Amino acid sequence: MRRMRIAITGSTGLIGTALVRSLRADGHEVVRLVRREARARGEVSWDPLRQTVDTSGLAGCTGVVHLAGAGVGDHRWTDSYKKEIRDSRVLGTAAIAEALASLDTPPRVLVSGSAIGIYGDTGDRLADEGTPPGHGFLAGVCQEWEDAAGAAAEAGVRTVFARTGLVVAREGGAWAKLFPLFRAGLGGRLGNGRQYWSFIALQDHVAALRHLLEADDVAGPVNLTAPHPVTNRQVTEVMGRVLHRPALFPAPAPLLRLALGEMATDVLGSQRVVPRRLLDSGFSFTYPDIESAVRAALADTR
């Protein structure tokens, strides 16, 4: 593997932290974009909302992985927080894309974060990268998010949209909230449990990002989900079995809507998404099924 110099936004988040660790462990140089004055070697200052980037720090980068954005599940979806979700993604992506386009020698590749939320509620239908965008708040945000990277693609930078599913990890994302509940014996299905969850183990997600950095013939949308999406009821069964706890406390749909507001629509929605382009590009999953992904998260002692 050739040695790379990779710039990363969102490097302190769940995925960013794991990606930085993985790249550095293999001898690659990492440049971290930080939303403050750069204070250490390997840091570059940027402000996604003001759309400013210190482009001098990006010179010589092989690629950029753009992961920054406000957490979708961190707060109730008030109008102000929905604006924060959108602006953090759309404005930040535009800033990165325009910064790369301005360089005399831009990086070869931009792997820009996106999400399978772009497909909306797919019900029982399989969705791949050829499926048109769906409806709803997240679907709209994802479309704007990807469109915002246009300047990089127009400048000749190979641009990949990593459409992420539910990441199985103990430290963050949906599973960071599920694990404590199931350990306490309070886990259960959400709603009727028939909705599909398209998941990916954190370890496979990081490996897929690295694969996309080097897959010179891959551009455009790529689903980062395991090849076998499962229903919420199946997730509940696996969590109970792996953790040796009962899973007898379902959360009825009306209660979720009361507690979560508009966000409940996505929690109860179904997304049966498959990673067609990732598999076609030669990527191999280490944890392709939900039980192996859950066990890998529990075994991760990083």
Side-chain angles (χ1 to χ4, degrees):
M1 183 183 295
R2 59 196 177 201
R3 187 174 184 274
M4 300 182 290
R5 184 172 193 256
I6 304 298
I8 302 176
T9 74
S11 62
T12 59
L14 171 68
I15 297 167
T17 298
L19 179 61
V20 168
R21 183 183 296 112
S22 174
L23 287 168
R24 285 179 171 166
D26 285 341
H28 301 292
E29 182 181 356
V30 173
V31 176
R32 297 175 55 245
L33 276 77
V34 295
R35 286 176 287 182
R36 53 171 170 74
E37 182 179 349
R39 294 195 291 263
R41 184 175 178 273
E43 290 185 347
V44 172
S45 180
W46 80 309
D47 188 326
L49 298 184
R50 291 190 173 89
Q51 296 185 276
T52 60
V53 182
D54 180 4
T55 55
S56 64
L58 300 179
C61 282
T62 312
V64 175
V65 181
H66 173 46
L67 301 172
V72 170
D74 290 355
H75 300 281
R76 192 180 180 90
W77 286 1
T78 61
D79 288 345
S80 62
Y81 194 65
K82 286 166 70 174
K83 184 177 186 300
E84 183 176 343
I85 289 172
R86 179 199 172 275
D87 288 352
S88 67
R89 286 161 173 75
V90 177
L91 299 181
T93 301
I96 292 296
E98 290 164 10
L100 299 186
S102 73
L103 295 173
D104 292 336
T105 306
R108 290 197 297 267
V109 57
L110 166 64
V111 178
S112 189
S114 185
I116 62 171
I118 197 168
Y119 303 116
D121 190 335
T122 70
D124 292 339
R125 294 177 291 107
L126 284 174
D128 62 19
E129 292 85 354
T131 300
H135 305 284
F137 169 66
L138 286 183
V141 167
C142 289
Q143 291 176 70
E144 291 187 76
W145 192 3
E146 294 186 4
D147 289 345
E154 290 169 9
V157 178
R158 179 172 64 88
T159 303
V160 182
F161 302 110
R163 293 178 175 174
T164 298
L166 295 169
V167 178
V168 184
R170 288 187 303 176
E171 301 89 348
W175 257 266
K177 299 174 182 178
L178 289 180
F179 277 125
L181 285 174
F182 277 86
R183 284 185 188 279
L186 300 175
R189 59 176 171 78
L190 303 180
N192 61 28
R194 292 194 295 269
Q195 68 271 33
Y196 275 90
W197 281 18
S198 296
F199 67 93
I200 184 169
L202 176 61
Q203 297 88 336
D204 278 335
H205 195 290
V206 169
L209 290 174
R210 293 189 53 171
H211 172 79
L212 294 173
L213 284 170
E214 297 217 69
D216 293 333
D217 58 342
V218 178
V222 179
N223 293 333
L224 267 60
T225 60
H228 308 297
V230 292
T231 65
N232 173 257
R233 187 183 296 274
Q234 290 172 303
V235 170
T236 299
E237 292 170 355
V238 167
M239 291 286 286
R241 180 167 65 250
V242 171
L243 292 171
H244 307 292
R245 294 289 190 276
L248 305 175
F249 292 89
L255 179 61
L256 287 171
R257 292 190 180 97
L258 179 64
L260 302 178
E262 185 180 352
M263 186 166 51
T265 301
D266 287 273
V267 171
L268 295 167
S270 180
Q271 293 192 306
R272 193 180 181 189
V273 179
V274 292
R276 177 180 58 82
R277 296 198 67 208
L278 191 58
L279 292 171
D280 287 349
S281 70
F283 182 78
S284 179
F285 285 84
T286 303
Y287 307 103
D289 61 88
I290 185 61
E291 181 157 343
S292 66
V294 168
R295 291 188 183 279
L298 293 171
D300 189 354
T301 57
R302 294 171 301 111

